[in-house]
Amino acid sequence: QSVLTQPPSVSAAPGQKVTISCSGSSSNIGNNYVSWYQHLPGTAPKLLIYDNNKRPSGIPDRFSGSKSGTSATLGITGLQTGDEADYYCGTWDSRLTAVVFGGGTKLTVL
Amino acid sequence: QVQLQESGPGLVKPAETLSLTCTVSGGSISSSYWYWIRQPPGKGLEWIGYIYFRGGTDYNPSLKSRLTISLDTSKSQFSLRLSSVTAADTAVYYCGRGDYDRVDTWGQGNLVTVSS
């Protein structure tokens, strides 16, 4: 059971928009920054979003992040087949004194 | 651009110690946080722990009693030792670089299977 809760799967058509939620508590999301990662099987995970809504260099602005209270959301617009991957949220948990991840969400681009 | 590469055995016997090394190239190891993260088959990411560039460490509380992460700046390497392994420790092990709450650069991963 992950500390952060994500939906197991989401799907949308190419060109459409999708959002992935990440729910936590005051000891993690509520008082710390959230990051998002993209993981294609067999490859290294990639940092998409950090500090709730910042994109590292090279990440297209189709990817966005937001946070409200104890929940965070990853948005992806203009979906492409290459976006099919597992997406994870992560943050620091002040009570556990640990980095924690969500269970991951599998994105299918239909 | 910093690159990371894990190395170590792919098979470890139960009750023995799992040892992995991550070699850092293209940048200095004398800054940042240096991570170990794993992904068991069919499951999500699990933070193992990290070592700061000054040598301090933070470990996953569930692994702390079996875990040691160390840093060798002279070789631009950091290492993981996990003792008394069981089948539950079978996973792809990733090393990474980042800040205290995120990983911005990841290695390719090293599958470690615990089996006799």
Side-chain angles (χ1 to χ4, degrees), chain B residues 64-116:
Chain B
K64 189 172 184 175
S65 64
R66 301 190 289 132
L67 181 62
T68 302
I69 298 177
S70 58
L71 188 66
D72 187 338
T73 56
S74 67
K75 294 182 179 179
S76 288
Q77 293 178 334
F78 61 105
S79 299
L80 163 76
R81 286 176 57 86
L82 184 66
S83 63
S84 304
V85 296
T86 70
D89 295 308
T90 293
V92 176
Y93 285 75
Y94 295 97
C95 63
R97 182 199 75 165
D99 207 331
Y100 77 96
D101 62 347
R102 67 179 180 268
V103 183
D104 57 44
T105 306
W106 297 70
Q108 287 299 310
N110 186 328
L111 174 62
V112 178
T113 302
V114 178
S115 175
S116 55

